[in-house]
């Protein structure tokens, strides 16, 4: 018989030493070697024991040359452990074990540990799922990590049901072309892992199984064949062997249970498959490969292939598909491309015979639960759980890692927001912590709850490096909402709104943060089922919708949502309620921003009178309505009347509101602006100088509000004739805003745009174009290609390029931009009208005076219709057209005069 059939006595001796060594799990090899070296034998001698040799003896790599070394080791263990163990061999048995191991000679004379004579494959990976997707990108990443010499473990982590085990199984089968020993171990608990390792050791060492008994390696010798001993021997073999190996630990449930069982060794690699992302798993030598959902194409292709089996003979070999591709893509999108959900949905469709449109209608019905739409009666292919079962299992594990009740409450809160980009400040603030427990949970407890969800891959918490936000799959959100009891839903919706409002109302809330908060607020509004409406009024969060959309340049969307909320508020609260008045005012303001200045002014006038009657003249909401009414009075060209309104408003707001309230600041700002627009440029300059000085004194010279006031001051410095100082002051404001807020902040973009304009007025055309290029590029990067600020920068860049001499290219650009403006903002929007005027001005500069005058005349008619005859822009266009007409009359007069002079100077024909 060969070694693998008879067994290796060295293995038996190593097993006995390992069993002995395990009596002192907390004592290091170095400490045990020192204690053994200090033992005095009956002969009075001591034997030096080396810690490295001790490790080699225990893993079967070598055998002590002298038996005395074995005896001092045994005595050191007995003394430290407090006596002999009942199962411990006698001295005679130790000597027999040692002599058999020492005298044994195998074909590998070096005394190395057992080596497989042919490839050994142990374990049972899951079978290939039906319509299996290869997922080449992830497969390549796994193979690259296995080949990388610096990587020892490959961690496949992701939510339950995303296909981690299928990817690991494919890698396991590919490794058969390369490795000689492959082991697949279900790693749900410690006993399962020990059993897998023991089975691998028996295969390696040649132990034969006869019925339920293992055949002994040496007759009469206790070979210590328990799973723990064999697992230790297998792990020692992995460390020492040169044989290429691959071990897959599938579905690790609790990394803590596998302490001391992690495979290691230079000759092989380990693939860890788990939903966990604990610190235990993230260490040097580990390559983490996150496994997410399918791509849209993968999900659609999966459904197409999976449901192809359900077509029946009617389709024929080359028949048309029973399911339309657009329906398949829609189903994939609704399920968020989640592999487990797709598999269950396909099984449900096959089992029930339901058609896709009907199933999509069910999915769209918010009354239907995830458990009902993906039932256990239609299980996923090659997966032991359902969507809801997998989620509940992970949630149960997560709940063990944080204060009781906080993990589920945290996930409930997350389920109410947008599925991606939730700022973690929303989830860790005081409003969120109030929801997490009867008594407010401390911030550390909230963070533990959030990280517990992250560790179980129920959410992904990006942070602390980079932007601290949370992502979650929409199906996880829906399944969690399904389980919220009806009596808790109103509280949950209110808690979610409170959490958003707390962050949004902070003075230092950045525009980028406001954008992601709006997305979550919009989702919350749809999921709150009317719970954000109270008997006394609506939740303050709902007032932010219109204001935010107006601020980001989406007046049409602001009008629509404000009007929709106003209609609901009227039905619930009545016409005179302050919330109704404010929502109607937001809708009127948005209408004015779209170009309907006169209509906005009329609506705001009516609302102001209602507010003064029901709320009082100096109520904060009334003051806001009065501010907007005065602004549109100014926009309509009634500058003097608007100035009087702003002066009165500023005085009354100071008496009613706290110092520094935005209404007071805005009123003061508009007072100065109206002075300038009425022709008092010096008054505007002085007004803005006073505002800037006060803000500098209260907030400091580097505060954003101070720097923004500086940009306003710069304009009127230029309007009073000091163009060079205007450029210098604008540059100071731009540098400050870029430093404090960042180059891409909206305030910085506007300030840079204005700096470019004043460079142009100063006839520094090269600098003007350069700054407009920077402003346009930065705006597109920060806000998008079709944001109003971006379009304004691009329009003015084209205009000033034309002024600088490239007129033909500038006219082409303005023509293209006008088309975009009309599509995005509308033909009557002020920015669209301004672009038309700039086109006419460039044509005039280019010498096409007739076409320019015709276009400006048509534009002036539209401006009167849209903005009114007194609007500043209307008056500016009217004055420009009159000037052109005068220039043309003067040019004709000059031509006639020159012709007369030439005729007078001509010689008489008869002379």
């Amino acid at each position: 018989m060969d070694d693998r059939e008879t067994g290796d006595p060295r293995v038996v001796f190593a097993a006995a030493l390992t069993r002995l060594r395990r009596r002192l799990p907390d004592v290091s090899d170095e400490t045990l070697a020192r204690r053994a070296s200090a033992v005095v034998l009956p002969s009075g001698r001591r034997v030096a024991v080396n810690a490295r040799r001790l490790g080699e003896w225990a893993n079967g790599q070598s055998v002590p040359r002298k038996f005395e070394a074995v005896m001092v080791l045994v005595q050191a263990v007995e003394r430290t452990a407090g006596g002999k163990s009942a199962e411990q061999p006698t001295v005679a048995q130790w000597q027999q074990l040692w002599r058999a191991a020492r005298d044994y000679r195998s074909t590998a004379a070096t005394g190395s540990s057992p080596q497989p004579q042919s490839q050994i494959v142990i374990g049972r990976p899951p079978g290939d799922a039906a319509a299996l997707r290869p997922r080449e990108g992830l497969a390549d990443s796994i193979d690259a990590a296995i080949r990388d010499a610096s990587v020892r473990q490959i961690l496949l982590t992701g939510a339950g049901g995303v296909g981690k085990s299928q990817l690991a199984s494919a890698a396991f089968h590919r490794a058969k072309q390369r490795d000689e020993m492959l082991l697949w171990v279900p790693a749900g608990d410690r006993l399962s892992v020990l059993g897998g390792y023991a089975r691998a050791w028996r295969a390696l060492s040649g132990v034969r199984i006869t019925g339920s008994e293992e055949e002994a390696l040496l007759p009469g010798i206790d070979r210590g064949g328990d799973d723990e001993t064999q697992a230790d021997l297998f792990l020692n073999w992995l460390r020492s062997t040169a044989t290429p190996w691959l071990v897959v630990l599938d579905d690790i449930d609790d990394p803590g249970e596998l302490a001391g069982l992690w495979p290691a060794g230079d000759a092989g690699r380990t693939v860890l498959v788990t939903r966990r992302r604990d610190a235990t798993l993230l260490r040097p030598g580990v390559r983490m490969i996150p496994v997410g959902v399918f791509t849209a194409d993968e999900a659609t292709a999966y459904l197409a292939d999976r449901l192809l089996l359900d077509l029946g003979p009617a389709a024929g070999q080359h028949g048309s598909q029973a399911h339309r591709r657009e329906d398949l893509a829609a189903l994939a999108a609704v399920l968020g491309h989640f592999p487990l959900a797709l598999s269950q949905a396909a099984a449900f469709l096959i089992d029930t015979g339901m058609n896709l449109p009907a199933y999509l209608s069910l999915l769209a019905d918010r009354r239907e639960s995830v458990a009902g739409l993906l039932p256990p009666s239609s299980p996923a292919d090659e997966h032991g759980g359902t969507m809801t079962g997998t989620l509940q299992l992970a949630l149960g594990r997560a709940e063990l890692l944080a204060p009781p009740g906080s993990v589920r409450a945290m996930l409930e809160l997350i389920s109410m927001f947008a599925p991606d980009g939730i700022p973690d400040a929303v989830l860790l603030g005081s409003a969120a912590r109030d929801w997490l427990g009867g008594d407010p949970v401390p911030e550390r407890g909230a963070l533990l709850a959030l990280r517990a969800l992250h560790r179980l891959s129920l959410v992904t918490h990006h942070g602390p490096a980079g932007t601290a936000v949370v992502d979650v799959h929409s199906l996880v959100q829906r399944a969690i909402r399904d389980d919220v009891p009806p009596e808790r839903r109103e509280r949950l919706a209110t808690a979610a709104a409170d959490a958003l409002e707390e962050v949004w109302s902070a003075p230092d809330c950045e525009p980028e943060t406001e954008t992601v908060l709006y997305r979550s607020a919009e989702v919350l509004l749809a999921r709150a089922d009317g719970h954000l409406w109270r008997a006394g009024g609506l939740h303050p969060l709902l007032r932010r919708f219109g204001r935010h959309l107006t601020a980001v340049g989406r007046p049409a969307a602001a009008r629509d949502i404000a009007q929709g909320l106003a209609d609901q508020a009227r039905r619930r609260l009545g016409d005179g309620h302050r919330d109704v008045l404010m929502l109607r005012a937001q809708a009127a303001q948005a209408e004015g921003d779209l170009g309907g200045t006169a209509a906005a002014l009329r609506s705001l006038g009516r609302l102001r009178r209602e507010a003064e009657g029901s709320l009082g003249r100096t109520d904060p909401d009334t003051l806001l309505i009065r501010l907007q009414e005065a602004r549109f009075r100014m926009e309509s060209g009634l500058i003097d009347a608007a100035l009087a309104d702003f002066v009165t408003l500023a005085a009354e707001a100071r008496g009613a509101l706290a110092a520094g309230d935005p209404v007071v600041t805005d009123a003061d700002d508009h007072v100065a602006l109206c002075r300038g627009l009425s022709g008092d440029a010096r008054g505007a300059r002085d007004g803005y100088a006073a505002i800037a000085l006060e803000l500098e004194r209260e907030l400091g010279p580097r505060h954003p509000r101070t720097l923004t006031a500086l940009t306003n001051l710069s304009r009127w410095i230029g309007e009073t004739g000091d163009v060079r100082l205007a450029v210098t002051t604008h540059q100071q404001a731009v540098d400050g805003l870029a430093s404090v807020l960042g180059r891409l902040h909206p305030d910085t973009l506007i300030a840079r745009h204005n700096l470019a304009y004043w460079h142009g007025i100063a006839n520094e055309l090269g600098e003007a174009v350069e700054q407009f290029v920077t402003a346009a590029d930065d705006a597109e990067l920060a806000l998008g290609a079709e944001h109003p600020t971006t379009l304004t920068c691009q329009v003015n860049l084209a205009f000033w390029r034309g002024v600088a001499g490239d007129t033909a290219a500038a006219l082409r650009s303005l023509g293209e931009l006008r088309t975009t403006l009309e599509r995005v903002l509308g033909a009557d929007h002020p920015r669209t009208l301004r672009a038309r005027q700039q086109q006419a001005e460039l044509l005039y500069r280019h010498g096409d005076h007739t076409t320019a005058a015709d276009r400006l005349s048509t534009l002036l008619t539209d401006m009167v219709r849209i903005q009114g005859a007194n609007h500043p822009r209307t008056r500016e266009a009217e004055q420009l057209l009159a000037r052109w007409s005068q220039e043309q009359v003067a040019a004709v007069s000059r031509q006639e005069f020159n012709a007369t002079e030439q005729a007078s100077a001509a010689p008489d024909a008869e002379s």
Side-chain angles (χ1 to χ4, degrees), residues 743-744 749 752-757 759 765-782 789-790 792-802 804:
R743 176 178 150 183
L744 302 182
L749 298 174
R752 189 180 299 280
H753 169 275
N754 294 341
L755 169 63
Y757 170 80
H759 271 302
L765 300 182
E767 290 86 346
V769 169
E770 181 182 349
Q771 290 292 343
F772 273 124
V773 167
T774 302
D777 290 346
D778 286 353
E780 183 171 355
L781 182 62
T789 300
T790 306
T792 298
C793 292
Q794 290 173 340
V795 165
N796 287 320
L797 169 60
F799 175 76
W800 284 99
R801 274 180 170 158

Side-chain angles (χ1 to χ4, degrees), residues 57 119 204 287 289 447 512 607 725 809:
W57 300 341
Q119 187 179 63
L204 281 169
R287 172 77 55 81
I289 301 178
L447 181 60
E512 296 82 359
L607 290 167
L725 181 58

Side-chain angles (χ1 to χ4, degrees), residues 3 441 457 507 511 597 723 820 849:
D3 285 354
V441 172
S457 296
T597 306
V723 176
T820 304
H849 297 164

Side-chain angles (χ1 to χ4, degrees), residues 195-490:
Y197 289 173
R199 185 180 174 197
W201 178 251
R202 290 193 293 269
L204 281 169
S205 61
V207 176
R208 296 185 305 182
I209 306 297
T210 56
S212 62
E213 298 293 330
E214 296 175 1
E215 185 180 48
L217 293 174
L218 287 177
I221 300 298
D222 178 10
R223 41 173 194 78
D226 61 282
D227 280 0
E228 288 223 13
T229 300
Q230 292 175 349
D232 288 342
L233 291 168
F234 174 66
L235 290 172
N236 285 330
W237 179 84
L238 292 180
R239 285 185 175 275
S240 60
T241 187
T243 301
W245 55 266
L246 178 71
V247 174
V248 178
L249 298 179
D250 183 40
D251 195 21
I252 298 170
D253 188 34
D254 183 358
E257 283 195 4
L258 304 190
L261 297 182
W262 302 111
D266 292 339
R269 301 290 182 271
T270 308
V271 177
L272 311 176
V273 183
T274 180
R275 63 171 66 90
R276 303 290 291 256
R277 290 184 283 201
D278 299 58
T280 306
L281 299 168
L282 304 175
R283 54 188 185 273
V286 174
R287 172 77 55 81
M288 185 172 79
I289 301 178
V291 180
V293 299
F294 284 152
T295 65
D297 289 342
E298 286 173 339
T300 304
Y302 169 82
L303 288 172
D305 289 353
R306 183 73 179 92
L307 295 175
L308 188 65
L309 304 175
D310 193 37
L311 294 181
Q317 186 175 0
H318 302 289
S320 60
Q321 291 192 2
H323 304 293
R324 297 186 307 163
R325 185 169 182 81
E326 52 267 37
D327 287 339
L328 295 171
L331 176 57
V334 168
L335 296 176
H337 311 133
F338 203 108
L340 176 57
L342 294 168
S343 182
Q344 273 202 269
F348 181 81
L349 288 167
I350 293 171
D351 290 343
T352 62
M354 184 180 293
N355 62 50
L356 259 178
Y359 189 53
L360 284 167
S361 297
L362 280 179
L363 286 168
D365 189 343
R366 291 170 53 197
R367 295 170 298 181
E368 296 286 341
S369 69
V370 173
L373 294 166
L374 303 171
S377 57
S378 295
D381 185 48
E382 289 298 328
H383 192 283
T386 64
M387 193 65 207
T388 51
T390 300
L391 168 61
Q392 293 300 329
L393 177 64
L395 184 57
R397 279 294 186 190
E399 288 183 303
L400 301 176
L401 305 176
S406 63
V407 172
R408 182 177 290 274
M410 176 64 78
L411 193 54
E412 288 172 343
L413 190 65
I414 292 171
S415 75
M416 300 300 289
F417 301 134
D420 58 303
I422 308 167
D424 70 355
V426 171
L427 306 173
L428 302 178
S430 60
R433 288 185 275 118
D434 285 345
W435 164 254
L436 296 185
D439 296 323
V441 172
E443 186 171 349
R444 179 175 173 274
L447 181 60
L448 284 175
L450 179 58
R451 294 303 294 181
L453 293 170
H454 173 85
R455 288 167 66 179
L456 270 295
S457 296
L458 288 164
V459 306
T460 296
H461 181 207
H462 303 279
T467 306
V469 297
V470 174
D471 297 338
V472 61
H473 196 276
S474 57
L475 270 184
V476 172
Q477 291 182 300
R478 181 168 179 174
I480 288 298
R481 290 197 306 276
D482 288 344
D483 286 344
V484 177
E487 64 272 13
R488 280 167 51 87
R489 290 176 185 170
E490 181 175 358

Side-chain angles (χ1 to χ4, degrees), residues 435-615:
W435 164 254
L436 296 185
D439 296 323
V441 172
E443 186 171 349
R444 179 175 173 274
L447 181 60
L448 284 175
L450 179 58
R451 294 303 294 181
L453 293 170
H454 173 85
R455 288 167 66 179
L456 270 295
S457 296
L458 288 164
V459 306
T460 296
H461 181 207
H462 303 279
T467 306
V469 297
V470 174
D471 297 338
V472 61
H473 196 276
S474 57
L475 270 184
V476 172
Q477 291 182 300
R478 181 168 179 174
I480 288 298
R481 290 197 306 276
D482 288 344
D483 286 344
V484 177
E487 64 272 13
R488 280 167 51 87
R489 290 176 185 170
E490 181 175 358
R491 255 198 76 219
L492 174 57
T494 302
D498 289 345
L500 290 174
E501 176 67 17
E502 180 181 14
V503 176
W504 208 334
S505 61
D508 58 350
C509 186
E510 299 287 346
E512 296 82 359
T513 304
E514 291 182 356
T515 298
V516 296
L517 291 173
Y518 174 76
R519 289 188 60 247
S520 279
E522 197 174 29
V523 171
L524 173 61
L525 181 61
R527 293 175 175 173
D529 295 325
H531 293 313
L532 298 183
W533 298 91
R534 306 166 176 174
L538 52 79
H539 193 283
L541 181 71
L542 299 185
R543 286 195 179 196
R544 295 191 178 274
F545 284 69
R547 293 206 303 266
H548 171 75
L549 291 169
T550 296
V552 298
R554 297 177 57 193
R559 176 197 58 197
D560 293 344
I561 195 163
Q563 191 59 58
L565 288 171
D567 291 342
Q568 293 184 56
R570 272 175 163 164
R571 292 193 296 270
R572 294 171 181 268
L573 306 172
D575 279 338
H577 193 279
R578 66 169 63 246
D579 288 332
V580 176
L581 295 173
M582 286 305 300
L583 291 169
R584 289 169 59 196
Q586 288 182 7
Q589 177 187 346
E591 190 66 45
D593 290 336
L594 285 167
T597 306
L601 184 58
R602 288 192 298 271
S603 296
L604 288 165
R606 288 193 298 270
L607 290 167
R608 186 253 309 157
R609 289 188 289 274
E610 290 182 45
E612 287 178 341
S614 61
L615 305 177

Side-chain angles (χ1 to χ4, degrees), residues 746-871:
D747 289 352
T748 309
L749 298 174
I750 293 170
R752 189 180 299 280
H753 169 275
N754 294 341
L755 169 63
Y757 170 80
W758 283 101
H759 271 302
I761 297 299
N763 204 33
E764 298 166 350
L765 300 182
E767 290 86 346
V769 169
E770 181 182 349
Q771 290 292 343
F772 273 124
V773 167
T774 302
D777 290 346
D778 286 353
E780 183 171 355
L781 182 62
L783 306 173
E786 295 187 345
H787 189 277
T789 300
T790 306
L791 294 172
T792 298
C793 292
Q794 290 173 340
V795 165
N796 287 320
L797 169 60
F799 175 76
W800 284 99
R801 274 180 170 158
V803 173
D806 194 358
T807 310
L811 285 169
R812 285 196 300 272
S813 294
L814 283 174
E816 294 168 359
L817 286 165
R818 177 180 169 183
T819 302
T820 304
L821 287 165
E822 290 176 349
R823 176 173 56 80
V824 175
L825 302 177
D828 292 347
H829 193 278
R831 285 185 176 89
T832 308
L833 300 176
R834 181 65 175 167
R836 290 171 59 188
Q837 179 174 330
Q838 289 171 310
Q839 278 183 300
E841 289 186 47
L842 286 181
L843 285 169
Y844 193 85
R845 284 173 175 269
H846 197 50
D848 192 351
H849 297 164
T850 302
T851 304
D854 288 345
R855 291 196 178 184
L856 187 58
S857 178
T858 303
L859 172 63
L860 183 58
T861 302
D862 290 339
M863 283 181 158
V864 171
R865 173 180 58 83
I866 297 166
Q867 300 176 157
N870 290 323
H871 192 280

